[in-house]
Short mmCIF file of all heavy atoms in Angstrom, two decimals:
data_model
loop_
_atom_site.label_atom_id
_atom_site.label_comp_id
_atom_site.label_asym_id
_atom_site.label_seq_id
_atom_site.Cartn_x
_atom_site.Cartn_y
_atom_site.Cartn_z
N LYS A 268 22.13 40.62 4.70
CA LYS A 268 23.51 40.49 4.21
C LYS A 268 24.42 39.82 5.26
O LYS A 268 25.22 38.94 4.95
CB LYS A 268 24.04 41.88 3.84
CG LYS A 268 24.92 41.83 2.66
CD LYS A 268 25.03 43.10 1.91
CE LYS A 268 26.01 42.82 0.80
NZ LYS A 268 27.03 43.76 0.63
N TRP A 269 24.25 40.26 6.52
CA TRP A 269 25.10 39.66 7.57
C TRP A 269 24.75 38.20 7.80
O TRP A 269 25.59 37.41 8.21
CB TRP A 269 25.06 40.47 8.87
CG TRP A 269 23.71 40.80 9.44
CD1 TRP A 269 23.09 42.01 9.37
CD2 TRP A 269 22.81 39.94 10.17
NE1 TRP A 269 21.86 41.95 10.01
CE2 TRP A 269 21.68 40.70 10.51
CE3 TRP A 269 22.87 38.60 10.57
CZ2 TRP A 269 20.59 40.17 11.23
CZ3 TRP A 269 21.80 38.07 11.29
CH2 TRP A 269 20.68 38.85 11.61
N GLN A 270 23.49 37.82 7.50
CA GLN A 270 23.12 36.41 7.67
C GLN A 270 23.83 35.57 6.61
O GLN A 270 24.29 34.47 6.88
CB GLN A 270 21.59 36.26 7.58
CG GLN A 270 21.03 35.16 8.46
CD GLN A 270 21.41 33.76 8.04
OE1 GLN A 270 21.40 33.47 6.85
NE2 GLN A 270 21.77 32.92 8.98
N GLN A 271 23.94 36.14 5.39
CA GLN A 271 24.64 35.42 4.33
C GLN A 271 26.12 35.23 4.72
O GLN A 271 26.71 34.18 4.48
CB GLN A 271 24.53 36.18 3.02
CG GLN A 271 23.10 36.25 2.50
CD GLN A 271 22.97 37.14 1.28
OE1 GLN A 271 23.87 37.25 0.48
NE2 GLN A 271 21.83 37.78 1.14
N ALA A 272 26.68 36.28 5.36
CA ALA A 272 28.07 36.18 5.83
C ALA A 272 28.18 35.12 6.94
O ALA A 272 29.14 34.35 6.98
CB ALA A 272 28.55 37.53 6.31
N GLN A 273 27.16 35.05 7.80
CA GLN A 273 27.15 34.01 8.84
C GLN A 273 27.16 32.63 8.19
O GLN A 273 27.80 31.71 8.65
CB GLN A 273 25.90 34.15 9.72
CG GLN A 273 25.95 35.34 10.67
CD GLN A 273 24.72 35.40 11.58
OE1 GLN A 273 23.65 34.93 11.22
NE2 GLN A 273 24.88 35.97 12.75
N TYR A 274 26.41 32.51 7.09
CA TYR A 274 26.34 31.22 6.41
C TYR A 274 27.71 30.84 5.83
O TYR A 274 28.17 29.70 5.97
CB TYR A 274 25.28 31.21 5.29
CG TYR A 274 24.75 29.81 5.07
CD1 TYR A 274 23.58 29.39 5.69
CD2 TYR A 274 25.46 28.88 4.31
CE1 TYR A 274 23.13 28.08 5.55
CE2 TYR A 274 25.02 27.58 4.16
CZ TYR A 274 23.85 27.19 4.78
OH TYR A 274 23.41 25.89 4.66
N LEU A 275 28.38 31.83 5.21
CA LEU A 275 29.72 31.56 4.66
C LEU A 275 30.66 31.11 5.78
O LEU A 275 31.41 30.14 5.64
CB LEU A 275 30.29 32.81 4.00
CG LEU A 275 29.74 33.20 2.64
CD1 LEU A 275 30.45 34.45 2.12
CD2 LEU A 275 29.96 32.06 1.64
N TYR A 276 30.59 31.82 6.91
CA TYR A 276 31.44 31.48 8.05
C TYR A 276 31.19 30.02 8.45
O TYR A 276 32.13 29.26 8.68
CB TYR A 276 31.17 32.43 9.22
CG TYR A 276 31.99 32.12 10.44
CD1 TYR A 276 33.33 32.49 10.52
CD2 TYR A 276 31.42 31.41 11.51
CE1 TYR A 276 34.08 32.17 11.65
CE2 TYR A 276 32.18 31.09 12.63
CZ TYR A 276 33.50 31.47 12.69
OH TYR A 276 34.25 31.14 13.79
N SER A 277 29.91 29.62 8.49
CA SER A 277 29.59 28.25 8.91
C SER A 277 30.16 27.23 7.91
O SER A 277 30.61 26.16 8.30
CB SER A 277 28.08 28.06 9.06
OG SER A 277 27.45 28.05 7.80
N MET A 278 30.16 27.59 6.63
CA MET A 278 30.67 26.65 5.62
C MET A 278 32.17 26.41 5.76
O MET A 278 32.67 25.34 5.44
CB MET A 278 30.39 27.18 4.21
CG MET A 278 28.93 27.17 3.84
SD MET A 278 28.65 27.94 2.23
CE MET A 278 29.38 26.71 1.14
N TYR A 279 32.88 27.44 6.24
CA TYR A 279 34.33 27.32 6.39
C TYR A 279 34.75 26.85 7.78
O TYR A 279 35.93 26.77 8.09
CB TYR A 279 35.01 28.66 6.04
CG TYR A 279 35.03 28.95 4.55
CD1 TYR A 279 33.91 29.46 3.90
CD2 TYR A 279 36.16 28.66 3.77
CE1 TYR A 279 33.90 29.70 2.55
CE2 TYR A 279 36.16 28.91 2.39
CZ TYR A 279 35.02 29.43 1.79
OH TYR A 279 35.02 29.66 0.43
N THR A 280 33.75 26.55 8.64
CA THR A 280 34.11 26.09 9.99
C THR A 280 33.47 24.75 10.37
O THR A 280 33.87 24.16 11.37
CB THR A 280 33.72 27.15 11.07
OG1 THR A 280 32.36 27.53 10.84
CG2 THR A 280 34.61 28.36 11.03
N THR A 281 32.45 24.32 9.59
CA THR A 281 31.89 22.99 9.88
C THR A 281 31.80 22.22 8.57
O THR A 281 31.61 22.81 7.51
CB THR A 281 30.46 23.06 10.48
OG1 THR A 281 29.63 23.78 9.58
CG2 THR A 281 30.43 23.72 11.83
N GLN A 282 31.95 20.93 8.65
CA GLN A 282 31.82 20.12 7.43
C GLN A 282 31.26 18.75 7.79
O GLN A 282 31.17 18.40 8.96
CB GLN A 282 33.14 20.01 6.66
CG GLN A 282 34.26 19.50 7.47
CD GLN A 282 35.63 19.52 6.77
OE1 GLN A 282 36.55 19.03 7.36
NE2 GLN A 282 35.81 20.06 5.60
N HIS A 283 30.84 18.03 6.78
CA HIS A 283 30.23 16.72 6.98
C HIS A 283 31.26 15.63 6.67
O HIS A 283 31.42 15.26 5.51
CB HIS A 283 29.01 16.56 6.06
CG HIS A 283 27.94 17.59 6.29
ND1 HIS A 283 26.93 17.85 5.40
CD2 HIS A 283 27.72 18.43 7.35
CE1 HIS A 283 26.13 18.79 5.89
NE2 HIS A 283 26.60 19.16 7.06
N PRO A 284 31.95 15.13 7.70
CA PRO A 284 33.01 14.15 7.42
C PRO A 284 32.48 12.80 6.96
O PRO A 284 33.09 12.14 6.12
CB PRO A 284 33.77 14.03 8.74
CG PRO A 284 32.88 14.57 9.79
CD PRO A 284 31.84 15.43 9.14
N ASN A 285 31.32 12.38 7.49
CA ASN A 285 30.77 11.07 7.10
C ASN A 285 29.44 11.26 6.42
O ASN A 285 28.48 11.73 7.04
CB ASN A 285 30.59 10.18 8.34
CG ASN A 285 31.90 9.98 9.05
OD1 ASN A 285 32.90 9.61 8.44
ND2 ASN A 285 31.92 10.28 10.34
#
Side-chain angles (χ1 to χ4, degrees):
K268 216 156 178 228
W269 52 257
Q270 213 293 317
Q271 295 174 31
Q273 287 183 332
Y274 207 95
L275 284 181
Y276 179 79
S277 71
M278 291 175 70
Y279 286 80
T280 50
T281 57
Q282 55 187 185
H283 300 164
N285 301 309

